[in-house]
Amino acid sequence: MVFTLPDLTYKYSDLEPFIDSETMEIHHSKHHQTYVDNLNKAINGFSEFDGKTIEEILKNIDTVPESIKQQVINHGGGHANHSLFWKLLSPVKTEPQGKLEDAINSTFGSLEKFKEAFTQKSMSLFGSGWTFLIFTKDNKLDIKRHSFQNSPLSYGNTPIITIDLWEHAYYLKYQNRRAEYIEAWWNVVNWVEASEIFSEAS
Ligand code: MN
């Protein structure tokens, strides 16, 4: 099994001015590629991963051999989180649809209230990591932070939307201004994709 870097469905420059072209190019072609390369190195020679997706492996993280488990959490998580992050970005403005729109309204009160809560959680993440809107194993929407590259999949939860809060995701354009990056990112969230993921999970 060899994992590969997924192509983007838009150009690096398509998310300007919210996410700049240079950040997108380095983030995708260098940072994400490194997670893929290190994942492939870690699992080299372990035939139990043949034919499995990274999502399947992370969902069953307890079955991964102890000698490489942390590397799979780090680099496999990095591969899965970034693959999802790219899919959940869109150059075109979108809105939550159908079941996801309803669930956000009933869980958080409104889209605006959800955005406030998600932004607040993202601002208070210490160090590097991600914030996720998750669909929990108890069939609820929730907002969850994970440090480093830990994946919600390893905790039985399905990620619906996510933001990368490592400095490499925003430092070139926003430096230490994480709040500005988050505010800009809301403009390029792919709610159509998120709504489809939620429909399949719920
Ligand atoms: Mn990243």
Side-chain angles (χ1 to χ4, degrees):
M1 182 80 197
V2 176
F3 290 100
T4 56
L5 185 69
D7 290 331
L8 303 185
T9 56
Y10 44 82
K11 297 198 296 292
Y12 291 137
S13 58
D14 282 351
L15 305 175
E16 296 266 9
F18 306 111
I19 302 179
D20 61 291
S21 184
E22 190 182 12
T23 296
M24 283 299 296
E25 179 168 5
I26 295 171
H27 199 175
H28 179 254
S29 70
K30 307 289 186 200
H31 288 279
H32 189 173
Q33 183 69 59
T34 301
Y35 289 111
V36 170
D37 293 345
N38 286 332
L39 172 63
N40 285 329
K41 269 184 227 160
I43 65 167
N44 187 32
F46 290 84
S47 59
E48 58 263 55
F49 300 122
D50 287 353
K52 295 213 173 112
T53 65
I54 190 57
E55 289 79 13
E56 287 167 339
I57 294 169
L58 290 169
K59 278 181 196 169
N60 297 287
I61 195 69
D62 288 341
T63 66
V64 172
E66 211 53 49
S67 63
I68 59 165
K69 187 184 284 184
Q70 193 58 50
Q71 292 178 73
V72 172
I73 290 169
N74 293 348
H75 306 302
H79 177 37
N81 289 338
H82 284 92
S83 298
L84 182 67
F85 183 61
W86 309 133
K87 268 185 15 180
L88 288 167
L89 294 174
S90 166
V92 182
K93 184 115 180 102
T94 59
E95 297 290 341
Q97 304 177 337
K99 284 164 76 178
L100 180 58
E101 182 184 15
D102 295 343
I104 285 174
N105 286 335
S106 62
T107 306
F108 302 100
S110 68
L111 180 60
E112 282 313 305
K113 282 186 181 155
F114 161 69
K115 284 184 177 179
E116 278 171 31
F118 190 96
T119 297
Q120 200 276 326
K121 278 253 182 187
S122 300
M123 286 304 295
S124 57
L125 172 81
F126 181 73
S128 296
W130 299 70
T131 305
F132 297 88
L133 172 65
I134 56 167
F135 187 59
T136 69
K137 50 194 164 189
D138 310 319
N139 300 323
K140 293 189 177 113
L141 281 182
D142 199 3
I143 301 167
K144 184 92 185 154
R145 288 174 304 211
H146 283 295
S147 292
F148 310 117
Q149 296 295 351
N150 287 294
S151 167
L153 297 168
S154 300
Y155 301 88
N157 300 318
T158 303
I160 307 297
I161 74 167
T162 189
I163 184 169
D164 188 341
L165 295 167
W166 287 55
E167 284 188 341
H168 68 227
Y170 62 90
Y171 199 85
L172 285 178
K173 183 176 171 80
Y174 296 101
Q175 291 85 48
N176 63 330
R177 303 187 304 278
R178 182 185 279 185
E180 280 182 38
Y181 160 64
I182 297 168
E183 196 184 334
W185 167 80
W186 284 118
N187 291 281
V188 289
V189 171
N190 188 340
W191 284 109
V192 174
E193 182 71 33
S195 300
E196 279 171 21
I197 294 171
F198 181 71
S199 283
E200 276 172 37
S202 61

